[in-house]
Amino acid sequence: MPTSIAPAVFKNYINGEWVESRGGKMIEDRNPADTSELLGLFPASSEVDVAFAVDAAKAAFPKWRLTPAPKRAEILFRAAEILIERKDEYAVLMTREMGKVLPETRGDVQEAIDMTYLMAGEGRRQFGQTTPSELPNKFAMSVRTPVGVAGLITPWNFPMAIPSWKAMPALICGNTVVLKPAEDTPFSTYNLTQVLEEAGLPAGVLNVVFGEGPGAGSPLLTNPDVNLISFTGSTEVGRIVSQACAPTFKKCHLEMGGKNIIIVMDDANLDLAIEGAIWGGFGTTGQRCTAASRVAVHKKVYREFVEKFVARAKKLRVGDGLEPTTDMGPCINEQQLKTVMRYVEIGKDEGAKLATGGNRLDKGDYAKGWFHEPTVFTDCDPAMRISQEEIFGPVVALIPFETFDDAISIANGVNYGLSASIYTRNVNNAFRAQRDLETGIVYVNAPTIGAETHLPFGGTKNTGNGHRESGVAALDFYSDWKTVYIDYSDRLQRAQIDNTAG
Ligand code: NAD
C-alpha cells in the first residue's frame, strides 16, 4: 500500500515515473498543530522540472485525446473506488498536513470522490448540440474537443478536493495535465496521484511537480506548450497569473479570494442562523474561500444575536484536529497566523469592539503549533478594513443594519463576489436576495459554505474571471467547442444568402 509506510523523501511524478527534482532542493511538509512533526520532504521544483513535465504531457496528449471518453471514464471510476477505500487514511494524513478537523478532512476526500464519480459520468455525456441547418441537405452540430496541456495550480485549504476539481474535468475532456499543488499540502496531492496511477492512468497523462509558486508555478504560466491554466488561490497571485497568461492568450481560469456575508433578518430562525454563522465563520479555522467572515444582523435582533453568537464562539474548543473533542484546528502556517494577528490589531485600531478572542494561543501544547482564538468583532462599520478585506482566519465581523436594502448594499459593497447567505422566513426577501446579491453562490437559510460538486462553483468581481469549477460548467473550461457543418447537397450553398426567399 502506498501511503501507510510513506517515504520520508518524495519525488515529482513525470511521465509515469517518480523522479527527483533536477535542482535537488526540498521543502518540509510539517504539521501546523505540532510543527515538530515532519511529514516528509518534497521537491522544490524548478523551471527545468516543469519543462520535463510539460514535455511529457505534450507527448501523451495525441493518444489520450483519441482515447474514447467512456474509456477515460473507466479509469476515473476505478480511482473513485480506491479513494473510498482509503478515505479515512487520507483524511488523517490531511489533518496532520494542514490542521483542519477530521470530519472536515473526511469531507475533503469525499469531495474528491464525488468529483471523480461525477466526471467519470461525464465520460458518457459531454453532450453537444445538433440543430437544423438553415440550408437544405446540410447537417449542423457542435462537439467538445480537448484544449491540450492543462497547467493546474492549487491552494492548501482543500488539498485533495481542489486538485480533483481541476484534474478530473481536465482528464475526462481529453486534456493532459501538469499539476503544481500548494507547497503547504503536497502530501494530499501525492496521495491523489498514487490513486490515479493505480487506477491505470497512462504515463504522461498526469504529471505532478511539487514546489513553490515562483519556482514551480510561474514556469507553467509562460511555457508555450501549456494551453490552459486553472488557478485557485489569492487575488494577488491571481492577478500575476492572469497577466502572465495574456501574452500567449492562454485560456485562464481564476478562482480567488472572498469576503462572504451572512445576512440575518429580523424574522430569521435566530438559533439556526447562529449555528450557521459559527460553522461558516470558524469551520476550517476561517480558512475557506467561502468563509462567512462578515455577519450582518438586523438591528431588531442584533443584541440577542451578539450575545448568543459570542457565547458560542467562546465555547469552541481549539486544538489538534485529530482529537475528536476539537472544534477548530490551527492556522496553516506562521505567516497566516501573523496575518490574523495583524488584522486583529487593525480591527482594534479602527474602533471595532473585540467581543471575544483576539489572541494567539501559545501556552502548553499550543506552543507547538499555529493556534489562534476564535475572534469576534462587534459593531463593525461596513467600510472598516476587517469588513472589507479577506483575513483567511478565525475572525468574524458583526455588522448591524436597519433595512433589507441596507443589508444588500453592505453585502455588495466589497471587491469580492464568491458566496452570500440570507437567513429569513420571508419568501419575498429570500427571492429578492438571490436576485440582487452580486455573488456566484447564494444560500438561503444555510451558511456561505457547503458547495456540492454537481453545481457551478465560482465568483464575480475580484473572486473570479467568469469561468466556473464543478458540474457541467467545468467542462466548458476544459474543452473547446467545435462547430461542424456537413453539406450533403452536392452544390455550393451560401449561408445568409441562399436561404432567403427571392
Ligand atoms: P496563494 O495565492 O498564495 O497560492 C496559491 C497557489 O499559487 C499555490 O500553489 C502557490 O504556490 C501558487 N503561486 C504562488 N505564487 C505564484 C506565482 N508567482 N506564479 C504561479 N503560482 C504561484 O494562495 P493560498 O495561500 O495557497 O490560498 C489561499 C487563497 O486561496 C485565499 O485567498 C482563498 O480565498 C483562495 N481560495 C479561493 C478558492 C476559490 O475557489 N475561489 C478556493 C480556495 C482558496
Side-chain angles (χ1 to χ4, degrees):
M1 297 291 286
T3 55
S4 46
I5 355 168
V9 179
F10 293 79
K11 297 176 179 174
N12 288 329
Y13 185 67
I14 299 178
N15 205 19
E17 288 178 12
W18 294 95
V19 293
E20 279 173 16
S21 157
R22 301 306 192 276
K25 284 194 199 146
M26 304 302 277
I27 299 173
E28 291 182 348
D29 186 16
R30 287 190 180 273
N31 181 345
D34 177 0
T35 54
S36 68
E37 187 188 9
L38 179 63
L39 279 84
L41 294 171
F42 286 81
S45 305
S46 68
E47 189 164 2
V48 182
D49 301 305
V50 174
F52 278 115
V54 173
D55 287 349
K58 191 181 176 193
F61 178 62
K63 197 164 171 204
W64 185 243
R65 177 177 83 88
L66 297 180
T67 303
K71 290 284 157 200
R72 295 180 209 138
E74 285 172 15
I75 298 170
L76 297 199
F77 276 122
R78 278 199 292 279
E81 272 160 31
I82 301 171
L83 279 170
I84 289 174
E85 281 168 26
R86 308 219 182 118
K87 178 172 166 179
D88 284 340
E89 180 192 346
Y90 287 170
V92 168
L93 255 162
M94 195 187 293
T95 294
R96 286 166 61 203
E97 177 170 54
M98 65 79 67
K100 62 186 175 186
V101 294
L102 258 183
E104 293 188 35
T105 51
R106 285 198 194 103
D108 196 303
V109 181
Q110 185 60 46
E111 209 163 319
I113 294 166
D114 295 346
M115 183 56 80
T116 307
Y117 273 132
L118 176 71
M119 288 301 151
E122 292 303 328
R124 285 191 184 268
R125 286 189 289 264
Q126 298 190 34
F127 302 129
Q129 297 137 340
T130 57
T131 174
S133 163
E134 66 187 39
L135 294 160
N137 296 323
K138 194 171 176 184
F139 182 85
M141 65 178 170
S142 62
V143 293
R144 290 188 186 275
T145 57
V147 183
V149 175
L152 313 180
I153 301 176
T154 54
W156 46 263
N157 63 340
F158 282 86
M160 193 174 277
I162 293 183
S164 75
W165 287 5
K166 298 185 189 300
M168 301 312 167
L171 293 172
I172 204 64
C173 287
N175 306 283
T176 53
V177 168
V178 179
L179 168 59
K180 204 299 282 175
E183 47 273 46
D184 282 301
T185 52
F187 214 139
S188 296
T189 303
Y190 168 83
N191 288 339
L192 186 66
T193 310
Q194 287 269 9
V195 166
L196 284 163
E197 183 185 37
E198 285 174 53
L201 204 64
V205 171
L206 171 74
N207 305 275
V208 179
V209 278
F210 297 101
E212 289 171 341
S218 189
L220 268 180
L221 312 175
T222 48
N223 189 309
D225 290 327
V226 174
N227 304 95
L228 73 79
I229 291 287
S230 180
F231 165 86
T232 298
S234 60
T235 300
E236 191 189 2
V237 175
R239 191 166 284 115
I240 295 172
V241 171
S242 178
Q243 286 167 352
C245 288
T248 50
F249 305 111
K250 275 188 181 48
K251 206 171 179 184
C252 170
H253 176 189
L254 307 170
E255 286 295 339
M256 302 173 284
K259 191 69 188 175
N260 314 289
I261 192 163
I262 292 178
I263 297 169
V264 183
M265 296 300 296
D266 52 346
D267 63 349
N269 175 339
L270 216 56
D271 289 335
L272 183 68
I274 287 161
E275 203 183 346
I278 290 283
W279 171 229
F282 300 112
T284 322
T285 320
Q287 301 172 120
R288 286 187 184 223
C289 50
T290 51
S293 52
R294 300 183 291 160
V295 182
V297 186
H298 196 285
K299 278 199 169 153
K300 279 193 194 156
V301 290
Y302 182 71
R303 283 296 143 212
E304 185 184 352
F305 185 94
V306 167
E307 196 183 307
K308 289 185 174 172
F309 182 75
V310 170
R312 281 289 303 272
K314 280 184 177 158
K315 283 202 185 123
L316 289 172
R317 294 158 300 182
V318 181
D320 185 334
L322 289 178
E323 297 297 330
T325 48
T326 298
D327 298 310
M328 194 183 95
C331 298
I332 182 70
N333 55 32
E334 186 177 11
Q335 191 192 340
Q336 197 59 48
L337 173 66
K338 283 188 171 157
T339 301
V340 172
M341 292 164 72
R342 188 160 47 84
Y343 271 102
V344 168
E345 292 311 311
I346 290 170
K348 286 196 234 167
D349 290 348
E350 286 178 314
K353 281 192 203 158
L354 181 62
T356 185
N359 298 301
R360 178 184 178 176
L361 292 162
D362 57 3
K363 304 277 181 297
D365 278 350
Y366 287 133
K368 294 191 277 183
W370 310 120
F371 294 96
H372 195 278
E373 291 175 325
T375 298
V376 181
F377 280 106
T378 61
D379 301 358
C380 299
D381 186 278
M384 286 176 177
R385 286 183 63 190
I386 55 165
S387 309
Q388 287 283 325
E389 298 174 19
E390 185 180 51
I391 301 172
F392 225 54
V395 182
V396 175
L398 299 187
I399 307 169
F401 70 85
E402 274 180 41
T403 66
F404 173 83
D405 289 340
D406 291 345
I408 297 293
S409 83
I410 290 167
N412 291 339
V414 293
N415 287 332
Y416 298 103
L418 185 52
S419 182
S421 130
I422 182 163
Y423 280 80
T424 180
R425 284 184 274 208
N426 177 323
V427 70
N428 296 357
N429 283 341
F431 269 85
R432 285 172 63 204
Q434 64 81 24
R435 183 193 63 194
D436 294 340
L437 288 165
E438 296 166 355
T439 52
I441 308 167
V442 172
Y443 292 90
V444 176
N445 293 327
T448 51
I449 64 182
E452 300 180 28
T453 53
H454 54 298
L455 289 147
F457 181 94
T460 62
K461 303 184 194 170
N462 286 2
T463 297
N465 65 341
H467 300 289
R468 289 290 183 270
E469 313 239 47
S470 291
V472 178
L475 303 183
D476 290 333
F477 181 71
Y478 292 102
S479 63
D480 282 332
W481 281 115
K482 184 177 284 180
T483 308
V484 183
Y485 299 100
I486 301 169
D487 192 319
Y488 52 101
S489 68
D490 259 347
R491 61 193 171 91
L492 173 67
Q493 300 198 88
R494 297 169 301 174
Q496 293 91 40
I497 296 172
D498 294 332
N499 64 342
T500 48

